[in-house]
Amino acid sequence: MKDYIFINQAFTDAINMYISSKQTGDHPDFSAFQVIVIRSLIAIYGELDIINPYRTNNESRMGGLDANLTKFGFPINKLQQFKADLQNYINAKEINKFPNPYFINIEKNLIDMYFYRKKTINISEDDTQKFQKLLYLSSNTNPVIQQEISNNTNEPIILDRYWQSKLFESNHQFELKPYKRNTLIPEAYNVLGYTLESIAQMDETTLDELNKQILSFFKIEPEDPKRTERLKEAVAYYQQYGSNITTGNGYVDMLLLLSVIATIMMTLFAITVKILGG
């Protein structure tokens, strides 16, 4: 057993407990929360990436623990907090603090690490099931884990929901796009052939110009306090009756629509030239 402190006392003790109890597997220490944390890290990164840095006392140098635990994209600042939280968890446990505020945080970070890896390399469903058995979920049938849940939190549903949301996001390639405050209703963009994906990629200046052209096309004042309601009505009418909403001449309105699209394309081109030209 090493006589130095690796990262902090809690992390050192957890690794020592893992090493000394893993051969039998039925030792109580092997199911202790801090050892389950180490086992979860090993399930994500592999045993060598966790144990070797400990044996060489390498936390932040090349090939050390920090490099190993961030290799799939997990942020270094979150990693530093994660390491501190394991010690904070033990400190809170020693004074019987309930709920232990670090319990959920540690588990969430382990889940995040797992899905960072899943985004990088292919992981089988079997591997996911094995990792899930190490999590402190209310659905886990392990009685030791259930007791630990009761000892640390009165809201296990928080972790259940977090795991399910990350799993859903991973299985459906779900991606949150930045919300732009000045967006109009989606149907208005669809009229001009723009998708929500293309809108999300526009900067605020370009989107403002597009919005002005759309409102102008539907003859709605930008400052009208009821512009959203009026736009909904106008778009619905346009979708039902076509371009009769404007001039009454389908050919003329088609030219108007093409004019709007051309104006936006020229705006995008002008902005791109300005950016490239410095």
Side-chain angles (χ1 to χ4, degrees):
M1 184 176 293
K2 303 294 183 180
D3 56 1
Y4 60 78
I5 302 299
F6 181 61
I7 300 176
N8 54 48
Q9 189 65 59
F11 212 96
T12 303
D13 291 346
I15 293 181
N16 283 329
M17 290 167 65
Y18 167 78
I19 292 173
S20 62
S21 63
K22 73 169 185 173
Q23 298 302 326
T24 59
D26 57 356
H27 192 283
D29 284 352
F30 198 63
S31 297
F33 175 72
Q34 59 269 44
V35 176
I36 295 288
V37 170
I38 300 300
R39 290 169 60 188
S40 298
L41 290 173
I42 290 172
I44 299 168
Y45 299 99
E47 187 174 77
L48 290 179
D49 278 359
I50 308 303
I51 303 302
N52 277 2
Y54 164 74
R55 295 192 187 281
T56 58
N57 195 20
N58 183 1
E59 178 181 0
S60 55
R61 302 188 306 276
M62 184 178 295
L65 188 74
D66 287 356
N68 292 345
L69 268 58
T70 57
K71 66 181 179 181
F72 297 129
F74 189 71
I76 186 63
N77 62 316
K78 292 188 68 175
L79 175 59
Q80 300 302 341
Q81 187 59 57
F82 169 78
K83 292 186 292 187
D85 279 350
L86 188 59
Q87 183 64 56
N88 293 332
Y89 166 83
I90 295 298
N91 295 342
K93 184 177 181 179
E94 288 176 349
I95 61 174
N96 296 317
K97 185 175 180 61
F98 182 85
N100 191 320
Y102 305 102
F103 176 76
I104 295 292
N105 291 343
I106 291 170
E107 288 291 291
K108 281 184 174 182
N109 277 310
L110 289 170
I111 291 172
D112 288 344
M113 290 177 189
Y114 182 80
F115 283 105
Y116 269 107
R117 179 196 174 197
K118 197 171 188 294
K119 286 179 181 178
T120 305
I121 60 178
N122 186 45
I123 296 179
S124 68
E125 181 63 27
D126 186 54
D127 285 339
T128 299
Q129 291 296 324
K130 289 178 180 177
F131 178 75
Q132 183 174 340
K133 290 179 180 179
L134 294 172
L135 295 174
Y136 288 76
L137 304 174
S138 61
S139 58
N140 197 319
T141 58
N142 186 321
V144 177
I145 283 181
Q146 285 301 316
Q147 184 60 52
E148 200 71 41
I149 293 173
S150 299
N151 292 342
N152 285 285
T153 182
N154 51 11
E155 294 184 291
I157 192 66
I158 293 175
L159 198 58
D160 293 347
R161 288 173 176 169
Y162 194 76
W163 168 253
Q164 290 300 326
S165 68
K166 289 293 183 178
L167 196 61
F168 178 87
E169 179 181 335
S170 174
N171 291 338
H172 295 80
Q173 284 93 44
F174 187 69
E175 182 180 2
L176 293 176
K177 296 292 184 181
Y179 172 73
K180 288 183 169 60
R181 293 176 180 272
N182 59 339
T183 52
L184 302 175
I185 60 174
E187 294 81 3
Y189 299 113
N190 292 339
V191 168
L192 294 181
Y194 285 90
T195 65
L196 293 182
E197 179 75 19
S198 63
I199 295 301
Q201 295 174 359
M202 288 184 181
D203 58 58
E204 298 292 339
T205 301
T206 306
L207 185 56
D208 273 336
E209 185 61 32
L210 175 58
N211 290 345
K212 290 177 184 177
Q213 296 295 333
I214 290 175
L215 292 173
S216 175
F217 178 75
F218 287 108
K219 295 184 169 35
I220 298 173
E221 292 295 330
E223 304 305 321
D224 188 336
K226 295 185 178 181
R227 73 174 191 175
T228 300
E229 289 79 4
R230 297 189 193 285
L231 186 58
K232 287 180 181 178
E233 294 174 358
V235 170
Y237 190 92
Y238 188 92
Q239 290 174 331
Q240 183 172 0
Y241 297 107
S243 55
N244 290 334
I245 187 173
T246 52
T247 66
N249 186 312
Y251 176 74
V252 173
D253 284 325
M254 180 59 67
L255 292 179
L256 286 173
L257 182 58
L258 292 174
S259 173
V260 172
I261 296 175
T263 300
I264 296 304
M265 295 301 295
M266 289 299 296
T267 301
L268 291 171
F269 176 75
I271 290 174
T272 301
V273 171
K274 182 177 180 181
I275 292 174
L276 293 177

